[in-house]
Amino acid sequence: MLARVWSASLVGIDAVKVGVEVDVSGGLPGIVVVGLPDTAVQESKERVKAAIKNAGFAFPMRKIVINLTPADLRKEGPSFDLAISIGILAASEQLSPELLGDFLFLGEVSLDSSLRPVAGVLPVAAAAQKLGITGLIVPVDNAQEAALVKGLSVYGCKNLAEVADLLNNPERYQPTKLTNFAELSTNQNPGLDLKDVKGQIHARRALEIAAAGGHNLIFVGPPGSGKTMLARRLPSILPPLTFEEALEVTQIHSVAGLLKNRGSLVSERPFRSPHHSASGPSLVGGGSFPKPGEISLGHRGVLFADELTEFKRDVLEFLRQPLEDGFVTISRTRQSVTFPAKFTLVASTNPCACGYYGDPIQPCTCSPAKREQYWAKLSGPLMDRIDLQVAVNRLKPEEITRQTTGEESQPVRERVQKARQLATERFSQEAGLRCNAEMRSEHLRQWCQLNDICQTLLENAIRKLGLSARATDRILKVSRTIADLAAEKDISPAHVAEAIQYRTIDRMQ
């Protein structure tokens, strides 16, 4: 007898509907799986056989052919176990095939027939809802994640026997309720607080501008000046994720398999901090079946590159295209996938190899040639894409011993949210545009118009610093954010002047 069950396969962060066709017929007992399965799918034969027996069903000792359609799409992972198990039960007439048409099945089965969580359930649920699937059956640990998709009945089951009972008696079961996003948003972890930072008023101001406009930022200063301490406190002043942004972030983390033990929704902005020994593929993603890398895992959040000049130059060049376009495309022989990568890059570095160039106390031991070689690791096109380049100086003795704390993160975050709200209202008719850093050329002409004084000021800066057209656009975007923080509609000379001063590295070279 032939039975067809629906499941799904991931291509990047998108899901493709997969038909699991099971035919039980006469012949020598055995199981054959066709349709480009990988090793994990091939091994499902033994898991499914034991699970069906331990669930109290009879495993048919006949020839079983399992076809995964479409046949030209590679299938990977153990997520097809549940669909294959149900297909065998239906084809062997232990379940009625008429019960299967309205459901999509996803999950790994253990030998004792219990269901184990799998990665990528959220994008599968989103695809199922678009395809008109009315019900999704997943392991109970994945149910809250899948329930985030509205208009889809999600059922979480503990084992194979419970799935069979659900199909036979659907009236006994209730769909998983949607998680309350408002509660998740109000219970966020406050994390590190800006009040711990002593002094560094200029750097704190730059951090606030970066948070308000989504601008890329680099701190340059001697060891111990507080660069890393400042960068790690950026999440505490970022605005909370909207529901739509949270879904985007959760979808990426789901594909990467990072949600199995983290609950149903990523409600805080990601903060990724790869080590300087990281490879290019670990940053952008990769593999035979491409998975998201660090820059995609930092989508709608922060990618912190501590000791930027210690990264290999070719690895840093991988950042150029995502910083400009907001996505990364990974091409393989059989497929090409695109991962979103709209992140805020925050970096820190010493001003030279010894770390003390320009320091008023500790003399620099580097020669001019050595300093030039040190900065050669950072290409001009990459630095053009960093909006705020800030010098962080050594703290004075009285600042180090001062007992009073700096301004807390909460009031700073409130100012940032007000500035972001102005940007949201400004971009209300622009799909996909959420902050000033994402503005394109046509938006600059519309919302970053300069009067004659501002124009002259900017032209002089371009001549003196040798700024490129891209760096000039970055100055305009930062000026717009500074004006938003001041709640002013027009950009003034003071806003442009402050934006220009954040080109520290341009002035050093």
Side-chain angles (χ1 to χ4, degrees), residues 140-161:
V140 66
D141 291 337
N142 287 131
Q144 282 289 331
E145 177 188 344
L148 293 169
V149 178
K150 299 178 181 179
L152 183 68
S153 297
V154 177
Y155 297 89
C157 296
K158 298 179 180 179
N159 51 55
L160 192 57

Side-chain angles (χ1 to χ4, degrees), residues 44-303:
S44 68
K45 296 183 291 186
E46 303 304 324
R47 291 193 299 271
V48 166
K49 185 176 181 179
I52 289 177
K53 291 180 178 179
N54 291 324
F57 297 98
F59 188 83
M61 300 304 295
R62 305 175 68 184
K63 182 179 180 180
I64 302 174
V65 178
I66 301 168
N67 180 36
L68 307 177
T69 62
D72 60 346
L73 176 69
R74 291 191 63 86
K75 324 298 187 308
E76 67 160 334
S79 59
F80 297 100
D81 288 4
L82 179 56
I84 291 174
S85 301
I86 296 300
I88 292 175
L89 292 178
S92 60
E93 299 182 347
Q94 299 179 75
L95 279 176
S96 174
E98 287 77 15
L99 302 174
L100 309 179
D102 293 336
F103 287 100
L104 187 146
F105 300 85
L106 204 71
E108 176 186 348
V109 298
S110 297
L111 299 184
D112 62 356
S113 84
S114 61
L115 301 185
R116 294 173 54 82
V118 294
V121 169
L122 181 58
V124 169
Q129 193 268 340
K130 293 178 182 178
L131 292 171
I133 298 291
T134 59
L136 178 64
I137 298 179
V138 296
V140 66
D141 291 337
N142 287 131
Q144 282 289 331
E145 177 188 344
L148 293 169
V149 178
K150 299 178 181 179
L152 183 68
S153 297
V154 177
Y155 297 89
C157 296
K158 298 179 180 179
N159 51 55
L160 192 57
E162 188 174 333
V163 175
D165 187 55
L166 167 63
L167 294 173
N168 287 318
N169 305 285
E171 67 280 355
R172 296 180 183 176
Y173 297 84
Q174 293 295 323
T176 303
K177 293 184 179 180
L178 178 66
T179 302
N180 191 328
F181 178 69
E183 292 181 3
L184 287 173
S185 298
T186 55
N187 293 328
Q188 291 189 28
N189 180 11
L192 302 173
D193 199 287
L194 271 178
K195 68 179 181 181
D196 302 326
V197 179
K198 296 181 179 180
Q200 304 296 5
I201 303 302
H202 182 59
R204 289 171 61 105
R205 170 66 172 173
L207 208 64
E208 181 176 342
I209 295 171
H215 301 290
N216 302 318
L217 167 69
I218 184 171
F219 289 126
V220 183
S225 56
K227 304 184 298 294
T228 302
M229 187 178 188
L230 282 160
R232 291 193 177 279
R233 279 153 180 78
L234 177 58
S236 69
I237 62 174
L238 288 172
L241 288 170
T242 65
F243 183 70
E244 292 75 18
E245 289 175 332
L247 282 178
E248 294 177 17
V249 175
T250 304
Q251 192 166 329
I252 297 170
H253 283 68
S254 176
V255 171
L258 301 179
L259 291 183
K260 293 180 180 178
N261 301 311
R262 292 188 58 188
S264 62
L265 189 71
V266 178
S267 57
E268 299 176 4
R269 293 190 181 272
F271 184 89
R272 308 295 299 185
S273 181
H275 191 260
H276 60 74
S277 62
S279 64
S282 71
L283 285 181
V284 301
S288 301
F289 297 92
K291 298 293 184 182
E294 289 291 335
I295 61 176
S296 292
L297 293 173
H299 180 64
R300 300 297 181 192
V302 177
L303 180 72

Side-chain angles (χ1 to χ4, degrees), residues 465-501:
L465 302 178
L467 299 176
S468 66
R470 181 185 288 113
T472 303
D473 286 348
R474 301 278 173 172
I475 289 177
L476 290 175
K477 294 176 184 179
V478 173
S479 301
R480 179 68 268 170
T481 299
I482 296 172
D484 289 344
L485 283 168
E488 296 183 12
K489 181 179 179 181
D490 298 323
I491 297 175
S492 70
H495 304 148
V496 176
E498 184 176 359
I500 292 172
Q501 73 165 332

